[in-house]
Amino acid sequence: MKIDVRGEICPYPMMKTAEALKKLEGDEALEVLTDHAPALGTIPWEAAKNGYETSIEGAADSEWRLTLRKSEKAAKPQELIANLQEQLAALNVSE
Amino acid sequence: MGTNVEAQKAAGQSQLVSGRSALRIVAVGAVLAMLAILAAVDSRLAIMWLFGLAFGVILQRSRLCFASGFRDIFLMNDAGTMRAIAIGIGIATLGFWLVMQTMVADPGSGALPAAVHVIPIGLHLVVGGVAFGFGMVIAGGCVSGTMYRIGEGYVASWVAMGGILVGLYLAARTWNWWWTNHISNMPSVFLPKWLGYGGAVGLTLLALAGIVLLSYWWEYRTGPMPSFALGKQAEPPAMELGAKLRQVYGLVFGKGWPIAVGAIALAVLNVFFYIFDRPLGVTGELSIWSDRIASGLLRLQAPALLGAEGLSGCNLTVGMGSWWTSEGLFLDGGLIIGAMVAALLANEFKVRVPPVKRRYVQSAIGGVFMGYGAGIAVGCTIGAFFSAIPSLGLNGWIFALSLLPGAYLGVRVIKRIQ
């Protein structure tokens, strides 16, 4: 599933992602397009609590594409976001 | 053919990049030109402008958001922002103490240090705090948050600002009722009068430490929290001066600042601002904008306000002279422009249009609640909270505690309006 939450005000990017995660079936991945930088911290966290791992890539200036995939490491939220800081550092942004 | 298209594309991109660099240079140039003009007119205005710019840069780079500080406690079980704010308030408390000590050496005399944000306690703080807490969650940002997001290009924040000005006008229309029936009968509680500075500062720091501990307990009571500090990598050392300078620039305008850095920077700015003039606050000036628009453009003159001028803090003001006679214009304007320039330099400026119309309605309504709350509580999360607790007044704590149920109500509501 793909959702586009560009333009949304805080905290809707995170809330709409949480809603969408509930609708996923099986091992389906969720792709989130956002231009709200604070969501780069909140979405992976919310995803990790639900057993999803997030990878972030820059989509355009001030726009990012987050891909949330169900992980076998689901038991440990810490591991799901362990490399988040590195991902954000590589993109030159922080949550 | 293909290479031709690619070459054109590359040329277009480099044009785009140089266009952006040009915009940055123009923006920084305009800010400096404004500084030079103000310095020539009145050095105080230039200093206000610098404080405003720093305020905006700090908020934008650290995305210090008081709304999320209160909201995320309920929305995400996350009290990290609140923890950062508590640390910032603690630092401001120490700084304010030193400033106040030089003004009133013996607080037991009952004298209040000049400009300190100590106002009568009472129901106006509770009603104002609940309304403000509710409004900031509905609108997706408090007053200062709305201002820095305007600078970042969030269109809904413009609408929220409109709501704030309307709310401040409504507060001015009802202020005299609040003053006559309640506020004028209530005492101001300046804690050092009873406890001395040492006792009041000690108690404040103890309470803030309690908040920090509580914040950890809150986060961990439902199980372990993911930690964000894992795997942070140090940058390789720069081998030449140019690379080093780029690295330093990147520290400020590359990655965002950790939120605690923002809170501490804002606390230091607050102490400097108190040394220069008064504790930080933004809504007093906004009430002047609200009054100018209501009385000047719309012929809706609010009545003269009883007692408001005697209150120190972000009191409502009506009937001020021209736009340009107010120093606060350059503080509040500087905040917005500072945030905009910071966002441009960090490549984070973007016009963000909400995808659904109800966000505008929501932002406007949230703004009205915030404006009204800030009006009767004599300040927003900056003036009545971030500056009031370091002022060692009981009013700051009452307002802060009232923000919590307001934010909780706001979270219940935003979950229903997806």
Side-chain angles (χ1 to χ4, degrees):
Chain A
M1 186 160 46
K2 289 184 184 183
I3 57 171
D4 181 354
V5 293
R6 286 177 300 171
E8 270 296 3
I9 62 172
C10 201
Y12 284 101
M14 185 278 288
M15 286 171 63
K16 286 189 161 174
T17 303
E19 283 299 308
L21 278 180
K22 288 183 199 156
K23 293 183 194 143
L24 293 182
E25 286 170 9
D27 285 343
E28 199 183 349
L30 176 66
E31 201 177 289
V32 184
L33 192 59
T34 183
D35 55 12
H36 187 62
L40 301 182
T42 54
I43 290 176
W45 188 324
E46 203 57 32
K49 286 191 211 162
N50 289 289
Y52 285 84
E53 191 165 27
T54 306
S55 59
I56 308 175
E57 54 176 349
D61 275 340
S62 273
E63 283 181 21
W64 301 274
R65 184 174 294 110
L66 290 78
T67 311
L68 281 57
R69 287 190 192 82
K70 198 140 211 167
S71 168
E72 304 87 53
K73 294 183 278 185
K76 292 203 169 168
Q78 285 91 335
E79 289 173 17
L80 296 180
I81 55 158
N83 67 347
L84 182 66
Q85 207 81 42
E86 287 157 35
Q87 284 197 49
L88 293 175
L91 289 165
N92 239 357
V93 288
S94 101
E95 79 281 5
Chain B
M1 187 70 189
T3 50
N4 202 358
V5 171
E6 298 222 325
Q8 274 180 2
K9 215 167 146 189
Q13 264 176 1
S14 83
Q15 251 175 18
L16 204 70
V17 169
S18 67
R20 214 178 291 128
S21 307
L23 189 63
R24 288 175 183 170
I25 292 166
V26 169
V28 173
V31 162
L32 293 178
M34 185 74 183
L35 181 65
I37 294 168
L38 291 176
V41 176
D42 180 350
S43 62
R44 277 187 65 88
L45 297 183
I47 293 169
M48 283 284 176
W49 179 241
L50 283 175
F51 270 110
L53 293 172
F55 200 164
V57 170
I58 291 168
L59 293 185
Q60 200 279 329
R61 295 316 298 140
S62 67
R63 294 210 165 80
L64 177 61
C65 173
F66 288 81
S68 86
F70 286 87
R71 179 196 68 208
D72 293 349
I73 295 173
F74 304 114
L75 187 63
M76 308 178 60
N77 266 338
D78 171 15
T81 303
M82 178 51 72
R83 197 153 52 232
I85 292 169
I87 292 167
I89 290 177
I91 288 166
T93 299
L94 291 169
F96 274 37
W97 173 20
L98 303 181
V99 181
M100 291 191 284
Q101 176 84 50
T102 61
M103 288 196 260
V104 174
D106 174 22
S109 66
L112 280 181
V116 76
H117 283 198
V118 176
I119 62 156
I121 57 173
L123 275 179
H124 54 293
L125 296 174
V126 177
V127 174
V130 172
F132 194 97
F134 177 75
M136 71 184 179
V137 172
I138 298 295
C142 66
V143 175
S144 61
T146 296
M147 291 167 80
Y148 86 74
R149 291 223 166 107
I150 287 175
E152 285 185 314
Y154 284 82
V155 176
S157 296
W158 282 95
V159 179
M161 178 52 78
I164 291 167
L165 296 181
V166 171
L168 284 165
Y169 174 73
L170 296 176
R173 295 299 303 219
T174 50
W175 171 265
N176 288 348
W177 183 88
W178 279 102
W179 176 261
T180 316
N181 292 296
H182 190 61
I183 302 173
S184 62
N185 306 318
M186 299 301 288
S188 292
V189 180
F190 182 51
L191 296 171
K193 186 182 173 187
W194 287 276
L195 306 169
Y197 283 119
V201 169
L203 194 66
T204 301
L205 295 182
L206 211 61
L208 292 168
I211 290 174
V212 170
L213 282 177
L214 261 177
S215 74
Y216 285 119
W217 168 78
W218 181 267
E219 289 176 349
Y220 279 79
R221 80 197 193 294
T222 51
M225 294 302 282
S227 161
F228 277 89
L230 295 168
K232 185 158 187 167
Q233 277 183 329
E235 278 189 74
M239 299 311 281
E240 52 177 12
L241 180 62
K244 182 71 198 172
L245 293 179
R246 271 195 298 281
Q247 226 175 47
V248 171
Y249 181 84
L251 270 180
V252 182
F253 292 111
K255 293 187 343 172
W257 304 354
I259 196 132
V261 170
I264 291 167
L266 192 64
V268 171
L269 191 78
N270 203 353
V271 175
F272 281 9
F273 196 62
Y274 192 13
I275 292 170
F276 170 62
D277 192 59
R278 58 176 189 265
L280 276 180
V282 291
T283 39
E285 173 62 23
L286 295 182
S287 87
I288 296 176
W289 300 5
S290 164
D291 177 57
R292 295 314 303 160
I293 294 169
S295 65
L297 293 178
L298 307 173
R299 309 273 161 218
L300 294 166
Q301 179 69 56
L305 304 179
L306 303 170
E309 248 178 80
L311 295 174
S312 64
C314 302
N315 52 290
L316 292 165
T317 306
V318 302
M320 277 281 289
S322 83
W323 278 95
W324 304 99
T325 54
S326 162
E327 293 182 343
L329 175 65
F330 298 97
L331 182 73
D332 285 22
L335 197 175
I336 295 172
I337 301 298
M340 180 182 274
V341 172
L344 280 171
L345 292 177
N347 218 3
E348 289 175 349
F349 180 85
K350 177 174 176 260
V351 177
R352 294 156 169 101
V353 182
V356 284
K357 295 272 180 294
R358 57 180 174 275
R359 291 294 175 257
Y360 292 113
V361 180
Q362 196 177 332
S363 297
I365 292 173
V368 173
F369 272 93
M370 273 195 283
Y372 190 80
I376 60 170
V378 197
C380 63
T381 37
I382 302 292
F385 172 52
F386 198 77
S387 290
I389 290 177
S391 293
L392 304 174
L394 197 55
N395 49 299
W397 288 102
I398 296 174
F399 185 69
L401 288 176
S402 307
L403 287 170
L404 275 173
Y408 175 76
L409 279 177
V411 168
R412 296 289 295 265
V413 170
I414 57 169
K415 280 186 171 168
R416 276 155 207 255
I417 32 179
Q418 289 274 351

